Amino acid sequence: MNTQGNEQRGVVAGVAVVFLSALAVVGMVAALSLAISAAMKEIAPDTDVSAANAVFSGLAFGAVIVALVIQHQQMHRQNSNLSTQLEHMEQANGFQRRADITNQQRLHFELLSKAMDDPDLAAVLDTYDATLSPVKQRQFLYANALYQHVLHAYRIEAASEEDAQGHLRVICRNPIFREFWAATRDHRASVRYESQEAYLGRLVDRLIERMEAEEDHDWWAN
């Protein structure tokens, strides 16, 4: 309500400024017209130049200027309103996108949860090259759920890249997660390279490579 009141007061103030400016322009033009008429009378007394006609012409010219000023102000306000509407639309689209991603993530987690609770359903998600025991399948499903949780937070901008990388440092220390990551390497090959999921996957690849290459196993805390 305060914002709307401020906007209305701003519009009223803008109209008042335009009106006063228009009156000033009309007055200046009228005075100039009278001065020109008087000067012409002195220079050429026989010339039939009516002061009233001069004033009328000046007022007409001033009215044109006023109309142009008002039109300019209206166009400025329309452009400002349009920019505000576009900003609101972009914000609404961003909120809707994050809501859609959240709903998708919730459904994905429900499917993983059902598979972790039911070995028969877990068998449907068994697309690994090696044969896994039921225990290993549940572990891989849980590892996937952990990674998807970080990915979801990153995609909806609830976690920055630095935050996501911090969580992944901890997850990558676990040998079961690294085993899951290696077993699903081919699964990630079809992910679009420029997507956020692919980008985060490359971060995990670099973290695991660094951890396996360095002797200092406390690097992840730095």
Side-chain angles (χ1 to χ4, degrees):
M1 296 296 293
N2 292 334
T3 302
Q4 293 179 351
N6 292 334
E7 291 179 353
Q8 291 177 353
R9 286 192 292 271
V11 172
V12 172
V15 172
V17 170
V18 172
F19 180 73
L20 293 176
S21 300
L23 288 179
V25 171
V26 171
M28 292 176 61
V29 172
L32 181 60
S33 299
L34 289 174
I36 294 173
S37 177
M40 292 182 64
K41 283 290 187 181
E42 292 180 1
I43 296 172
D46 296 334
T47 303
D48 186 13
V49 179
S50 173
N53 290 337
V55 172
F56 179 79
S57 299
L59 291 175
F61 180 72
V64 172
I65 295 179
V66 170
L68 292 176
V69 172
I70 294 176
Q71 184 180 14
H72 175 74
Q73 292 292 331
Q74 291 177 343
M75 291 180 62
H76 178 73
R77 287 196 297 271
Q78 290 176 355
N79 291 335
S80 178
N81 293 335
L82 181 59
S83 298
T84 302
Q85 292 176 1
L86 290 176
E87 291 178 0
H88 291 166
M89 290 177 61
E90 290 177 355
Q91 292 178 356
N93 291 335
F95 293 147
Q96 185 60 46
R97 175 181 175 274
R98 287 192 286 271
D100 293 340
I101 293 175
T102 299
N103 291 333
Q104 180 185 9
Q105 178 65 20
R106 184 180 297 111
L107 177 60
H108 185 239
F109 182 75
E110 290 177 357
L111 294 174
L112 290 178
S113 298
K114 291 180 180 180
M116 283 186 281
D117 295 335
D118 190 339
D120 294 335
L121 297 180
V124 179
L125 299 178
D126 186 358
T127 57
Y128 309 103
D129 294 335
T131 301
L132 304 180
S133 65
V135 174
K136 184 66 68 175
Q137 283 185 340
R138 288 196 297 273
Q139 290 176 338
F140 278 15
L141 291 172
Y142 188 72
N144 186 19
L146 286 177
Y147 174 69
Q148 292 296 330
H149 174 71
V150 178
L151 174 61
H152 172 65
Y154 176 65
R155 292 176 68 188
I156 66 172
E157 300 179 357
S160 64
E161 179 180 334
E162 184 178 355
D163 294 333
Q165 192 168 4
H167 291 299
L168 293 173
R169 283 196 186 102
V170 178
I171 296 175
C172 290
R173 295 188 69 217
N174 185 272
I176 297 177
F177 179 83
R178 296 198 301 273
E179 186 180 356
F180 155 77
W181 195 255
T184 56
R185 185 174 303 277
D186 293 338
H187 298 178
R188 296 187 297 277
S190 60
V191 178
R192 188 165 47 89
Y193 182 85
E194 61 273 15
S195 66
Q196 292 175 311
E197 182 176 356
Y199 180 75
L200 207 64
R202 291 193 293 273
L203 286 181
V204 176
D205 290 337
R206 289 195 292 269
L207 289 172
I208 293 178
E209 290 174 1
R210 179 180 176 185
M211 188 202 67
E212 293 177 346
E214 297 186 8
E215 296 180 357
D216 182 10
H217 296 292
D218 292 331
W219 65 268
W220 63 274
N222 296 328

